[in-house]
Amino acid sequence: MSITTLRGDTPVIETHGLRRSFRTRRGEVEAVAGIDLRVDAGEIVGFLGPNGAGKTTTLRMLTTLLEPSGGEATVAGCDLLREPRRVRERIGYVAQGGATDPTVTGRRELVLQARLYGMDRATAAARAAEVLAALDLEACADRKGGTYSGGQRRRLDLGLGLVHKPQLLFLDEPTTGLDPQSRAHLWEEIRGLREQGTTVFITTHYLDEADALCDRLAIIDHGRIVAEGTAEELKREIAGDVVTVGVGNHCAEALRLLEHQPFVREASIDEGTVRLYVERGEAAMPQILRLLDGGGITLQTISLARPTLDDVFLRQTGRSLRDEAA
Amino acid sequence: MRVLRDTLLVFQRSMGQTLRNPVWVVVGLMQPIYYLFLFGPVLKPVAQLQGFGGSAYNVFVPALLVQMALFGCVFVGFGLIAELRYGVIERMRVTPMSRLSMLLGRAGRDIAVLLFQSTMLVLMSIPFGLHITLSSILIIFALLLLIGLGMACLSYGLALLLRSEDALAPLLNAVFLPIMLLSGMLLPLSLAPGWLRAIGLAGSTVVVGIAVAAGLAALTISWAARSFGRSVA
């Protein structure tokens, strides 16, 4: 008899060609253009992409809120299209904009939510108290939601998503708009969930969040997954270093001059700078200086860095996430 | 069983919100009271006209009750738009709860408020000279329940469709005004010309009235419940 391990061989989410198009006045728009995704039990998987890339649409399909236009998916062991009700029993969802009424107390919201998942009155009350304690919300449990701070409200949203102990939790942009301390606090809560065996699926456009929290990442752009792997794997794909050269208005000339040099693997222009992916940054910098000098281009700034997730993102999508987040 | 349980949960939540801020129940009751005190006396001489169909208050109080059912329930969709904006509806749609209950729990609250207001109005009208029997009270309350249910569900369905107060207000007014005028609420339709009486189904029996109200309620319930269940982008 084989022993089933938690991690690695049980897909909690598995999709094949999942897509969704919307009809607009200008015709059909494909928001999600066929996604193949696999998430295993106990993982924290990050879904990274700029606004409008299809992150939320994918999430809304996987949480039964939006009917897919095509493809198939299994979520928490149930068929998404044929058994949406059973999927709902097994998952939790924390929406981007929150989900609480400002005139209702946190405790009331939690008790109602627990009862909607089928718990009786006493069990629901006990479970609500447990969640309030775990999320450090006891002090404001009986105050109306409208009086909560941003961090408290977000923790209550998280509590509502996991009051029924789902095996799979979806978080849509969980820390958007939070101060750094509240973000760190929430990250701790999310890491704690993994320790209890909960699978977590997060969308984010914060690279530090993806880097700090996620076991695995999928980068989505224009409704397609363009890269997938651990943060380290993705960074390793961009071998070598990144040299960023500031040349003011002469980017195009500088790019022409540098892009075909043997030591340059890839080059691109990004907002008044030229980004060069090179084998060995220390060796490349003197050569770059010499070439620019010879070409009559005045160098304003030059910097050398190890690749970050933003570089991965830029390479895969041609856009920088940093601008989106700013 | 599930539907019943979930409906009760949503009803309790909605009722709790209403009771924590009962000013709307009172405001809803104020309007017919104004009519009772400030418009009723004007009707007394008019009631002498041929075809008015009874004493002033016996014609007027049922009209006020219908007005309250229409007015009180037609605008409930606004509360739902607020809940949509807070994300409460989406949160409920991710749970396995019954979609029909999301509608019926809320409409149940609206009906409970309406029946409370109606009882108050009937009691207040008796000193003014309303003559009414218990059986006719029961019949008119059944009718009010159906009218209120139909209106509330129509309002919820439109709110889910439009998702914006700016669009909902004019549309509800456009629906509400002809219904109000055809109900014979202001003056009895028995005074109207034949074609108007025909459109308003004036002179038909109570059974026909209840059947029409029940039909409309059933129609709007099934439509609005489907809207709650359907994926909304």
Side-chain angles (χ1 to χ4, degrees):
Chain A
M1 208 163 72
S2 69
I3 299 165
T4 317
T5 54
L6 253 184
R7 201 177 293 250
D9 54 8
T10 349
V12 172
I13 304 175
E14 199 169 15
T15 75
H16 295 288
L18 197 66
R19 40 176 214 92
R20 170 74 200 198
S21 45
F22 293 102
R23 224 168 286 140
T24 66
R25 266 170 223 160
R26 274 186 235 151
E28 199 119 304
V29 173
E30 200 142 71
V32 174
I35 276 186
D36 300 312
L37 191 71
R38 185 189 154 118
V39 174
D40 288 327
E43 278 189 304
I44 299 185
V45 171
F47 215 38
L48 198 60
N51 293 325
K55 291 184 306 243
T56 297
T57 306
T58 306
L59 210 65
R60 290 173 60 85
M61 284 195 280
L62 293 175
T63 51
T64 75
L65 286 171
L66 196 64
E67 209 174 304
S69 311
E72 51 193 67
T74 313
V75 177
C78 306
D79 188 289
L80 182 64
L81 297 173
R82 279 170 220 97
E83 314 167 282
R85 173 90 178 259
R86 293 185 62 199
V87 170
R88 288 183 197 123
E89 282 167 4
R90 289 162 172 74
I91 63 165
Y93 171 56
V94 179
Q96 193 172 347
T100 53
D101 188 321
T103 67
V104 180
T105 69
R107 191 188 302 277
R108 273 177 188 277
E109 291 280 34
L110 282 167
V111 170
L112 173 74
Q113 189 78 351
R115 299 211 64 196
L116 291 177
Y117 278 105
M119 287 178 224
D120 63 39
R121 197 187 298 262
T123 316
R127 178 62 186 152
E130 208 175 291
V131 170
L132 287 165
L135 294 177
D136 200 12
L137 286 169
E138 278 166 316
C140 56
D142 297 303
R143 286 207 325 251
K144 288 180 178 178
T147 67
Y148 284 25
S149 73
Q152 288 170 332
R153 198 171 311 135
R154 216 59 191 124
R155 292 209 297 283
L156 178 58
D157 287 334
L158 185 65
L160 288 165
L162 48 81
V163 72
H164 56 300
K165 300 183 181 165
Q167 52 171 290
L168 169 62
L169 183 65
F170 291 93
L171 304 173
D172 197 0
E173 305 275 355
T175 65
T176 299
L178 289 188
D179 59 87
Q181 203 187 339
S182 304
R183 287 184 81 197
H185 193 160
L186 207 64
W187 285 359
E188 279 311 306
E189 304 295 348
I190 295 168
R191 283 201 197 97
L193 288 174
R194 175 176 45 189
E195 258 129 62
Q196 295 159 29
T198 310
T199 309
V200 184
F201 190 84
I202 298 182
T203 74
T204 182
H205 60 253
Y206 291 125
L207 294 159
D208 56 342
E209 184 159 285
D211 219 354
L213 213 51
C214 301
D215 301 315
R216 223 151 47 79
L217 296 172
I219 295 180
I220 180 171
D221 192 35
H222 297 301
R224 285 178 201 286
I225 292 178
V226 292
E228 207 184 333
T230 66
E232 278 316 306
E233 280 166 5
L234 290 172
K235 287 179 200 166
R236 217 177 299 134
E237 270 180 39
I238 305 181
D241 300 321
V242 186
V243 177
T244 311
V245 184
V247 288
N249 298 325
H250 304 287
C251 285
E253 294 159 65
L255 183 69
R256 247 194 324 275
L257 199 63
L258 295 170
E259 67 184 338
H260 297 302
Q261 295 299 323
F263 62 89
V264 174
R265 295 185 152 212
E266 265 182 82
S268 62
I269 293 177
D270 180 33
E271 291 203 351
T273 63
V274 177
R275 286 169 90 84
L276 304 164
Y277 297 97
V278 300
E279 198 95 26
R280 280 181 52 230
E282 313 86 81
M285 273 166 73
Q287 301 192 55
I288 293 169
L289 290 173
R290 224 174 4 252
L291 281 163
L292 288 176
D293 207 31
I297 298 168
T298 318
L299 185 67
Q300 290 171 346
T301 58
I302 185 163
S303 63
L304 170 66
R306 295 282 309 142
T308 63
L309 273 182
D310 196 38
D311 294 305
V312 175
F313 196 82
L314 191 65
R315 195 178 111 158
Q316 298 292 350
T317 69
R319 275 177 283 172
S320 170
L321 255 189
R322 234 172 253 145
D323 311 331
E324 297 269 343
Chain B
M1 221 23 238
R2 168 119 221 169
V3 176
L4 213 67
R5 182 179 179 278
D6 289 347
T7 301
L8 203 64
L9 287 171
V10 176
F11 175 80
Q12 283 167 349
R13 176 193 172 86
S14 306
M15 205 63 198
Q17 280 165 317
T18 302
L19 292 180
R20 271 193 297 280
N21 193 4
V23 61
W24 292 112
V25 180
V26 177
V27 168
L29 191 56
M30 282 314 287
Q31 206 178 11
I33 289 176
Y34 284 142
Y35 273 102
L36 205 58
F37 278 85
L38 305 178
F39 189 65
V42 182
L43 275 183
K44 276 213 157 159
V46 182
Q48 311 305 322
L49 286 176
Q50 203 198 348
F52 192 81
S55 78
Y57 281 91
N58 266 29
V59 172
F60 189 48
V61 171
L64 284 182
L65 288 170
V66 170
Q67 183 194 18
M68 214 156 54
L70 291 176
F71 247 119
C73 292
V74 79
F75 293 116
V76 294
F78 285 97
L80 185 65
I81 290 183
E83 284 190 288
L84 280 167
R85 194 162 295 140
Y86 297 144
V88 173
I89 302 302
E90 189 163 283
R91 181 183 112 206
M92 290 186 172
R93 288 181 60 229
V94 181
T95 74
M97 74 173 293
S98 144
R99 316 280 118 165
L100 180 62
S101 300
M102 292 189 201
L103 175 70
L104 290 185
R106 288 180 174 82
R109 181 262 322 261
D110 305 329
I111 298 303
V113 170
L114 173 66
L115 292 185
F116 166 75
Q117 290 170 328
S118 305
T119 309
M120 297 302 288
L121 185 69
V122 168
L123 290 177
M124 276 187 288
S125 306
I126 290 172
F128 279 90
L130 174 75
H131 297 286
I132 193 164
T133 61
L134 191 64
S135 60
S136 35
I137 287 183
L138 291 180
I139 289 172
I140 195 164
F141 273 32
L143 195 59
L144 289 176
L145 187 146
L146 292 171
I147 293 172
L149 205 56
M151 275 290 145
C153 292
L154 178 72
S155 189
Y156 286 135
L158 288 175
L160 287 170
L161 192 71
L162 298 171
R163 321 194 123 223
S164 125
E165 287 97 342
D166 296 338
L168 187 61
L171 189 62
L172 286 178
N173 270 319
V175 173
F176 174 71
L177 203 61
I179 293 180
M180 182 191 79
L181 293 174
L182 286 173
S183 72
M185 215 165 74
L186 298 177
L187 285 173
L189 276 188
S190 49
L191 299 172
W195 62 270
L196 197 53
R197 279 213 304 275
I199 299 176
L201 297 178
S204 43
T205 60
V206 174
V207 177
V208 172
I210 287 185
V212 169
L216 286 177
L219 214 65
T220 56
I221 288 174
S222 72
W223 174 61
R226 256 209 311 276
S227 302
F228 265 104
R230 200 180 41 218
S231 314
V232 198

